[in-house]
C-alpha cells in the first residue's frame, strides 16, 4: 500500500497532531452549540404548545390563603400531589400532607388517584382507598378532588380519550358526621352544545368521535339533546386589573 | 428543519467524519498498513451511516449517537498507532456493541415499569453480581452489565411507587459489589442510587436510613480491608511524559499501566490536549442526558435517563480523577474507551436507552403538536 518517506511522515505527523487537537476543540464547541440550539428549539416548541405534556388542569375551588380560588395547575401524565415544593402539584393547604397522593393518567379510563398511606382523598365526594379499588374512581372531566381543605376541579383536554364511560357527576353523599365539605352538584361547564367532554380549551371544538374512533355510540346519540339548564348569569366583562379566568386565557392563547 | 439546529448538527457530523478519516489515514501513511487504510474508510462511513440512516430509522437521539460514535472511534484510534490489527479487532467489538445500542433504543419504546420488568431485571442483575462470588475467575467482567440491569429494576420500582423496595434492591446490590471487591463500582452505585432516590421520592424518612446503611456498609468493608486502595502516581508521570501532542511510540513509563485503558493510550499517542478535549466530550453528553431526563413524560423514563446519565458521567469523572491521582480508586476506565466487550456493550446499551427515551420524548411532543394542529 501507499506510504511516505520517514522525513515527510515526521513533519506530517507533528502537523496532524496539532490539527487533531484543533478538530477535537471544534468537536467540543460544535457539540455545545448543537445542544444549545436543540434546547432553544425545544423551548420555542413548548412556547407554542402550552399544554404539551399535560392532560388538563386542576382549578382550585376552595383553598387557603396561600392557594387562592381560581388558581390552576397544569396536570402532567403522572406525578405526586402534596404540600412539599418538590411535588408535581403543590397544594399548600391544611390537611394536605407533604406527599399526599400519586396520580397517573390511563388512556380510556381517566386520571387514577392513589392516596399515600394514611392520607384521605375524596373524588366527587367518594373516599378513595389506597389498595385495589382506587382504579374504580378515576378523575374525569369535571370531577372534584378533595384533599385536606382544598377542593380542586379537573378539566381535561377533550382531545384525549379519557374515558369510555359517559360522564355523570356523582351526587354528593350527605354525611353530616364526617365534617368534610361535600361539593354541590355542579354543571360541568356551560357548553354551547350538550357535549359533556367539552373543556375550556379550543381542543374542545373537536368531536370526540373523530379522535377516538373506537368509542361506539356517537356523542349525539349518547347524549340526546335536552333542554339546557338555566343559563347562569353571565359574568361582567373583566375590568382593568381584574384577574381573568384561566379559560379565557386559554382561548386567547390558542386563537393566536 | 430549523436552520440553526441543522447547522450545529452538520458541523459536528462533518468534523467527526473528517477527523475519523484523518486520524487513521496519517498512521497508515507511515507503513502503508492495509488494516489502517481499511479503518480510514470504514469508520467514517459507519459514523456517517449511523448518524444519518440508523438514527433516523430507529428515531434515536442524533447528538448522543454522534458523541458516542466519536468516542468509540477515538478508542479505536488509540490502538491504531501501536497495533493496527488490535485496532481492527476493537472496531469489530464496537460494531458488536452498537447492536446493544440499537437494542437499548428499541427496548425503551416497549419497556414498561411492570412487576415483571422489575423482577426480571433485578434477578438478572443480582445473578450477574453473585456469579462472581461462585466463580471468581470469570473470563469477562459482568459488573457493568449487572449495574445496567439493576438500574432498570431500580427505575421500574421507583416508578411503581415502591421506593422502599427500590432502595432495598440497591442496598443488596451494594453489599454484593463490596463483597466481590468492586470498590470503585460500589462507590459509584451508592452515589447513583442515593441521588436517584432523592430525585424520585425526596422523603428524608427513607433517604436518611438508606444513607446510614450505605455508610455502615462502607465502614465495615473498610474495617475488614476487603479492597485495595492503590494510588496512581505512576499514571500521572506517564501522562506528563506523553507531552502536549504525544508521540508515535509510547514512552517507557506507559508499559506499567493498565493496558486496557484506552484513554492512557490516546494520551500517549496524541497528547494531553487531544485526550483532554476528548474526555471533555462527556460534558455535553451528560448535559444532553439530563435534558432527556427532564423532558421525559413518565417517571420510569425520567429515572432511567437520569440514572444512565449519572452512571456514564460519574464513571468518566471518577476515571479521570483516578488517572490524575485525585481518587484512590483503581480499575476505572472511561466509558466507551475500553477494550472489554461486555463493558462496551453495557455502556452502549445505556447510551441506547438515552437515545430511545429521547426519541420517545420527541414522539410525544409531535403528538401534542398534531393535536394542537387539529384543534386549529
Amino acid at each position: 500500500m501507499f506510504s511516505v518517506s520517514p522525513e515527510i511522515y515526521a513533519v506530517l505527523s507533528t502537523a496532524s497532531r496539532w490539527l487533531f487537537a484543533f478538530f477535537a476543540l471544534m468537536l467540543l464547541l460544535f457539540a455545545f452549540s448543537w445542544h444549545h440550539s436543540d434546547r432553544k428549539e425545544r423551548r420555542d416548541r413548548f412556547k407554542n404548545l402550552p399544554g404539551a405534556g399535560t392532560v388538563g388542569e386542576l382549578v382550585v375551588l376552595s383553598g387557603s390563603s396561600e392557594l387562592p380560588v381560581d388558581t390552576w395547575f397544569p396536570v402532567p401524565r403522572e406525578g405526586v400531589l402534596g404540600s412539599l415544593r418538590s411535588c408535581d402539584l403543590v397544594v399548600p393547604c391544611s390537611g394536605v400532607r407533604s406527599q399526599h397522593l400519586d396520580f397517573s393518567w390511563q388512556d380510556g379510563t381517566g386520571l387514577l388517584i392513589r392516596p399515600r398511606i394514611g392520607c384521605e382523598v375524596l373524588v366527587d365526594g367518594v373516599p378513595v382507598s389506597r389498595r385495589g379499588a382506587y382504579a374504580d374512581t378515576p378523575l374525569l372531566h369535571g370531577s372534584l378532588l378533595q384533599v385536606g381543605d382544598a377542593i380542586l376541579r379537573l378539566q381535561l383536554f377533550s382531545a384525549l380519550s379519557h374515558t369510555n364511560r359517559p360522564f355523570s357527576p356523582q351526587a354528593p353523599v350527605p354525611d353530616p358526621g364526617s365534617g368534610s365539605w361535600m361539593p354541590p352538584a355542579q354543571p360541568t361547564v356551560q357548553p354551547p352544545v350538550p357535549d359533556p367532554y367539552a373543556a375550556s380549551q379550543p381542543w374542545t371544538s373537536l368531536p370526540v368521535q373523530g379522535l377516538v374512533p373506537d368509542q361506539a355510540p356517537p356523542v349525539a346519540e349518547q347524549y340526546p339533546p335536552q333542554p339546557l339548564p338555566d343559563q347562569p348569569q353571565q359574568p361582567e366583562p373583566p375590568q382593568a386589573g381584574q384577574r381573568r379566568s384561566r379559560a379565557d386565557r386559554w382561548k386567547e392563547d390558542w386563537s393566536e | 428543519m430549523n436552520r440553526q439546529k441543522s447547522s450545529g448538527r452538520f458541523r459536528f457530523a462533518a468534523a467527526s467524519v473528517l477527523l475519523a478519516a484523518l486520524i487513521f489515514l496519517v498512521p497508515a501513511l507511515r507503513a502503508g498498513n492495509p488494516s489502517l487504510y481499511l479503518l480510514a474508510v470504514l469508520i467514517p462511513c459507519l459514523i456517517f451511516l449511523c448518524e444519518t440512516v440508523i438514527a433516523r430509522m430507529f428515531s434515536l437521539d442524533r447528538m448522543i449517537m454522534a458523541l458516542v460514535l466519536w468516542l468509540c472511534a477515538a478508542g479505536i484510534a488509540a490502538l491504531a498507532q501501536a497495533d493496527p490489527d488490535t485496532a481492527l479487532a476493537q472496531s469489530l467489538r464496537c460494531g458488536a456493541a452498537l447492536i446493544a445500542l440499537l437494542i437499548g433504543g428499541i427496548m425503551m419504546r416497549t419497556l414498561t415499569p411492570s412487576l415483571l420488568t422489575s423482577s426480571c431485571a433485578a434477578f438478572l442483575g443480582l445473578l450477574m453480581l453473585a456469579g462472581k462470588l461462585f466463580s471468581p475467575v470469570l473470563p469477562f467482567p459482568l459488573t457493568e452489565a449487572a449495574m445496567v440491569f439493576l438500574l432498570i429494576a431500580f427505575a421500574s420500582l421507583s416508578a411503581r411507587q415502591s421506593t422502599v423496595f427500590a432502595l432495598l434492591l440497591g442496598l443488596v446490590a451494594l453489599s454484593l459489589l463490596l463483597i466481590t471487591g468492586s470498590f470503585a463500582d460500589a462507590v459509584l452505585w451508592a452515589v447513583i442510587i442515593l441521588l436517584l432516590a432523592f430525585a424520585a421520592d425526596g422523603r428524608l424518612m427513607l433517604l436518611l436510613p438508606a444513607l446510614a446503611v450505605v455508610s455502615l456498609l462502607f465502614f465495615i468493608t473498610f474495617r475488614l480491608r476487603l479492597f485495595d486502595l492503590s494510588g496512581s502516581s505512576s499514571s500521572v508521570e506517564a501522562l506528563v511524559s506523553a507531552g502536549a501532542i504525544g508521540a508515535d511510540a509510547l514512552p517507557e513509563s506507559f508499559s506499567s499501566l493498565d493496558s486496557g485503558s484506552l484513554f492512557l493510550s490516546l494520551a500517549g499517542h496524541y497528547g494531553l490536549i487531544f485526550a483532554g478535549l476528548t474526555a471533555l466530550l462527556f460534558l455535553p453528553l451528560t448535559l444532553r442526558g439530563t435534558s432527556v431526563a427532564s423532558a421525559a413524560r413518565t417517571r420510569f423514563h425520567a429515572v432511567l435517563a437520569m440514572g444512565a446519565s449519572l452512571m456514564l458521567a460519574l464513571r468518566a469523572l471518577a476515571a479521570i480523577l483516578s488517572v490524575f491521582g485525585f481518587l484512590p480508586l483503581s480499575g476505572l476506565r472511561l466509558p466507551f474507551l475500553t477494550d472489554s466487550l461486555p463493558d462496551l456493550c453495557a455502556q452502549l446499551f445505556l447510551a441506547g436507552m438515552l437515545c430511545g427515551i429521547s426519541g420517545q420524548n420527541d414522539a410525544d411532543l409531535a403528538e401534542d403538536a398534531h393535536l394542537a394542529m387539529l384543534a386549529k
Side-chain angles (χ1 to χ4, degrees):
Chain A
M1 298 291 278
F2 177 74
S3 62
V4 295
S5 65
E7 291 81 18
I8 294 174
Y9 178 75
V11 176
L12 191 66
S13 174
T14 311
S16 66
R17 282 166 208 284
W18 287 108
L19 185 70
F20 294 161
F22 173 74
F23 265 112
L25 179 66
M26 286 294 107
L27 276 182
L28 189 64
L29 293 178
F30 291 155
F32 277 115
S33 149
W34 187 356
H35 177 65
H36 177 73
S37 61
D38 264 14
R39 282 191 68 176
K40 190 169 175 295
E41 194 214 359
R42 196 172 181 85
R43 250 199 328 266
D44 291 346
R45 284 185 79 179
F46 270 108
K47 225 178 264 179
N48 295 328
L49 294 169
T54 58
V55 293
E57 57 192 30
L58 277 170
V59 183
V60 177
L61 300 183
S62 167
S64 65
S65 58
E66 292 179 51
L67 189 73
V69 174
D70 207 25
T71 309
W72 60 275
F73 304 101
V75 183
R77 283 187 171 259
E78 60 180 47
V80 182
L81 182 148
S83 58
L84 212 62
R85 284 185 66 186
S86 60
C87 292
D88 302 285
L89 298 177
V90 185
V91 181
C93 286
S94 64
V96 180
R97 298 217 180 156
S98 55
Q99 292 187 329
H100 201 95
L101 60 90
D102 300 294
F103 60 88
S104 61
W105 174 260
Q106 199 173 69
D107 281 331
T109 305
L111 194 68
L112 298 180
I113 301 293
R114 194 179 183 204
R116 292 279 171 109
I117 297 169
C119 297
E120 191 182 348
V121 177
L122 301 176
V123 172
D124 291 325
V126 180
V128 181
S129 65
R130 179 174 162 76
R131 298 216 171 268
Y134 72 93
D136 297 337
T137 48
L139 276 176
L140 305 175
H141 176 65
S143 292
L144 292 170
L145 173 71
Q146 185 179 353
V147 282
D149 289 348
I151 297 157
L152 313 155
R153 183 166 62 194
L154 180 70
Q155 293 185 181
L156 289 174
F157 298 146
S158 64
L160 295 162
S161 60
H162 55 77
T163 178
N164 294 325
R165 298 177 288 182
F167 170 67
S168 55
Q170 297 179 10
V173 183
D175 186 4
S178 68
S180 58
W181 186 88
M182 289 297 161
Q186 296 186 12
T188 50
V189 277
Q190 292 80 41
V193 289
D195 180 5
Y197 296 95
S200 55
Q201 289 75 33
W203 291 357
T204 54
S205 60
L206 285 169
V208 176
Q209 184 71 12
L211 285 165
V212 191
D214 292 335
Q215 289 187 358
V219 176
E221 288 178 26
Q222 213 171 355
Y223 304 97
Q226 290 173 355
L228 286 171
D230 292 341
Q231 291 294 323
Q233 196 172 0
Q234 290 296 321
E236 293 179 2
Q239 296 169 358
Q242 189 180 345
R243 185 174 177 172
R244 290 175 301 158
S245 70
R246 174 67 187 148
D248 292 339
R249 276 185 280 136
W250 262 102
K251 280 173 188 166
E252 285 179 13
D253 290 346
W254 285 99
S255 62
E256 285 170 5
Chain B
M1 187 188 296
N2 189 335
R3 189 180 169 186
Q4 193 182 12
K5 181 186 172 186
S6 62
S7 153
R9 171 153 47 102
F10 287 141
R11 280 179 190 162
F12 187 91
S16 62
V17 167
L18 191 60
L19 184 54
L22 285 176
I23 210 164
F24 294 107
L25 196 60
V26 172
L29 289 173
R30 182 176 57 176
N33 191 304
S35 299
L36 288 176
Y37 278 114
L38 181 65
L39 285 174
V41 175
L42 196 69
I43 302 291
C45 288
L46 194 66
I47 289 177
F48 183 73
L49 186 76
C50 286
E51 283 182 18
T52 51
V53 180
I54 305 283
R56 193 179 184 85
M57 195 186 290
F58 294 98
S59 300
L60 302 174
D61 188 295
R62 294 183 183 207
M63 186 178 165
I64 294 175
M65 199 149 183
L67 285 167
V68 166
L69 286 171
W70 164 245
L71 287 167
C72 288
I76 300 166
L79 295 169
Q81 291 264 8
D83 190 357
D85 292 333
T86 317
L88 200 58
Q90 173 71 8
S91 69
L92 292 179
R93 277 194 286 268
C94 287
L98 269 178
I99 296 170
L101 185 144
L102 293 181
I103 292 171
I106 295 165
M107 233 173 86
M108 280 305 103
R109 300 298 178 93
T110 51
L111 203 64
T112 53
S114 62
L115 194 61
L116 185 70
T117 307
S118 313
S119 48
C120 286
F123 175 74
L124 282 173
L126 292 176
L127 187 72
M128 284 179 183
L129 286 182
K132 206 174 173 183
L133 283 178
F134 301 119
S135 172
V137 283
L138 272 175
F140 40 83
L142 286 174
T143 311
E144 284 202 41
M147 283 168 77
V148 172
F149 280 114
L150 288 167
L151 179 68
I152 293 173
F154 185 90
S156 177
L157 286 171
S158 294
R160 290 174 57 80
Q161 323 295 345
S162 310
T163 316
V164 179
F165 289 110
L167 279 172
L168 275 176
L169 173 73
L171 292 174
V172 170
L174 179 64
S175 310
L176 281 173
L177 283 169
L178 287 172
I179 291 169
T180 52
S182 311
F183 184 70
D185 290 320
V187 173
L188 288 179
W189 178 249
V191 173
I192 288 166
I193 59 162
L194 287 176
L195 284 175
L196 285 183
F198 177 68
D201 195 274
R203 274 181 293 176
L204 289 178
M205 211 173 75
L206 288 176
L207 272 176
L208 289 178
L211 188 62
V213 175
V214 167
S215 311
L216 186 70
L217 282 172
F218 277 107
F219 179 72
I220 292 170
T221 317
F222 185 72
R223 295 287 293 188
L224 293 176
R225 296 186 184 281
L226 289 176
F227 53 87
D228 177 33
L229 287 179
S230 58
S232 54
S233 58
S234 57
S235 62
V236 181
E237 290 164 11
L239 284 172
V240 170
S241 68
I245 58 165
D248 284 347
L250 285 178
E252 285 293 317
S253 49
F254 275 80
S255 55
S256 62
L257 299 178
D258 177 17
S259 58
S261 173
L262 301 185
F263 176 72
L264 290 173
S265 303
L266 197 70
H269 285 302
Y270 294 100
L272 276 175
I273 299 175
F274 182 79
L277 288 169
T278 304
L280 275 177
L281 284 175
F282 281 97
L283 202 56
L285 184 65
T286 310
L287 285 175
R288 185 67 167 196
T290 49
S291 296
V292 169
S294 62
R297 296 282 169 91
T298 62
R299 186 185 293 195
F300 176 57
H301 280 168
V303 174
L304 204 52
M306 187 53 81
S309 306
L310 275 176
M311 209 173 256
L312 292 174
L314 289 179
R315 185 172 286 279
L317 183 69
I320 291 170
L321 289 179
S322 62
V323 161
F324 285 98
F326 293 113
L327 271 184
L329 299 174
S330 57
L332 279 170
R333 294 171 184 174
L334 271 175
F336 314 117
L337 292 174
T338 173
D339 62 350
S340 158
L341 181 61
D343 288 355
L344 208 53
C345 283
Q347 288 154 3
L348 281 170
F349 187 79
L350 280 178
M353 288 199 306
L354 279 177
C355 291
I357 294 169
S358 174
Q360 186 65 47
N361 292 347
D362 285 346
D364 288 339
L365 200 57
E367 192 186 336
D368 284 341
H370 179 65
L371 287 173
M373 192 187 69
L374 284 176
K376 288 177 184 176

